Amino acid sequence: MRLAAGAGLSAAACLALALGQPVQAGATAVTPQATAVALQATAVAPQTKAVTSGPGKARTVPVRLIAVNDFHGNLEPPTGSGGRIVNEQGTTVDAGGAAYLATHIKALADANTVTVAAGDLIGATPLISAAYHDEPTVELLGKLGLDVSSVGNHEFDEGYRELLRIIGGGCHKTDGCTPAGRWRGAAYDYLGANVRFKKAPELPALAPFSVKKVNGVNVGFIGLVTKSTPSIVTAEGIRDLTFVDEIEAANRTSKALKLLGVKAQVVLVHEGDQVAPNQSPDACPVIIGAGSRIANGVSADVDMVVMGHSHQAYVCKTKDPAGADRYVTQGSSFGRVLTTLDFQVDTRTKDVVRSTVAADNHVVTRDVPADPEITTFVQTWKDRVAEVANRRIGSITADLTRTAAPSGETALGGVIADAQLEATRTGGNAEIALMNPGGVRADLTYAPDGVVTYGEAFTVQPFNNLMQVITLTGAQLDALLEQQYQVNRILQPSATLSYTVGSSAPVGSKVSDIKINGVPVTDTQSVRVAANNFLVGGGDGFSVFTQGTDVWSGPLDIDALVAYFGARSPVAPPAPNRITVIP
């Protein structure tokens, strides 16, 4: 693998040092384990790729980064609120869509550009991409010139092994090849410096860094994913992995890059903060959170931090540990915003001149010509999936939305929970069902005729989670419902479950009067609870689910919803009366 010239250390030696392993004098030999680290990184993603070159004789040379994050396979222009954003002038405009994204990237790119991303490019995607295990999205991003990306939590939606297939190529083990033929793999590098193997945590499960040569200088990119990933993806798919602290992993990898002579360093991290609503995409400051901890904590050798995960748009400056200014950015989601970072690299020191860094967020408006090649590409995949997407599965009497009542209940969440209960009664003997609100990804709108298609239902529930049923005691069910107010997520209950919440009661003592079909639940009785395998594995912080026994597995969640619409249409919005709130 080709790295920065004159570093004086082998790749294995640098990775060994980054991971705290021994290196012999002169860095001429390392432990066999460290060599395995280097080989693993090489096998997963190439470590260096020449992007472009320049004369290299000037004291400083310019570099431009174009960044995107949380694309989530939105090949077609996203609809509803997910397709609109507030621009720099404070006006809400339509934004996003692959063909428009391509036009904007071409307008922003120059000969000194590296295109980067901060994860969640795939996973939780519309049917046009998800039906083919997101190969269309990864191919599209290659066409758009993406060079390197961190992984996001959603890159693990189908498990680590499937992610390796997406990176390296080959047809899906169950569904085989798509109509496009054998999958060739990603044209860009996927990085995850803090993704390690549980049984050998010194071994990276993904390439930790990538070095790109641009305008004659090397720029190193460190990829990170939120360390909370195990709590927000299905446990089975990552059972062999551990996700170490982002700052620790970034600093070790930064040290390795520096030993290789790569001093211009950028962190791409799938973690971020929130901003106040309806802000300009260049707004700052953010609401301090997990993203700020990373932005302030990673090594002072890192020159800028590109973020994702929270679906916010911001351009901020923070202080690195040495007290110098450092830009931190994020570009919203769904391809609605592109971030540019322009800077000069000193050709003698090989480092970024921090005072030259300028960052900006650009809304991907739809008032530009759609790129013809990408338009054709998207239409091809749309035609391929049309028969499935357009199939009618039922109808609704009014909008089913994710808008929460004061209790936290939503109309769509209630319908999904009812559908899951109905699908798990036979075989699983489910008595109640609970649905995580974060798994409901879109509204179902009545317009124009109340018809619900498979494509619309899939957009609502794109994860293909498995329905499961577990047994909890009444006391455990009470603890689970109390846990909602610790993790600040209200589970959507089926119509068979009701309870009361004291709004002023302390956390841990808020829930009372739990009933199933109107009958009070005792602490010692057994209750069969249906939920998707994400929740049953303890997802979203609901650890009580993992105490369940007698696990039964049933249909996919999307199949449960489709069957419910087939049997119950037209479906009306349920009343939000399953949770009663008292002072």
Side-chain angles (χ1 to χ4, degrees), residues 23-77:
V23 179
Q24 292 183 13
T28 57
V30 296
T31 64
Q33 199 169 38
T35 303
V37 173
L39 292 175
Q40 170 71 18
T42 306
V44 174
Q47 296 300 291
T48 304
K49 181 171 69 175
V51 178
T52 187
S53 62
K57 295 180 180 179
R59 183 68 171 83
T60 63
V61 294
V63 176
R64 164 167 279 199
L65 305 185
I66 298 177
V68 66
N69 60 275
D70 296 272
F71 184 60
H72 288 293
N74 278 267
L75 305 186
E76 298 182 271

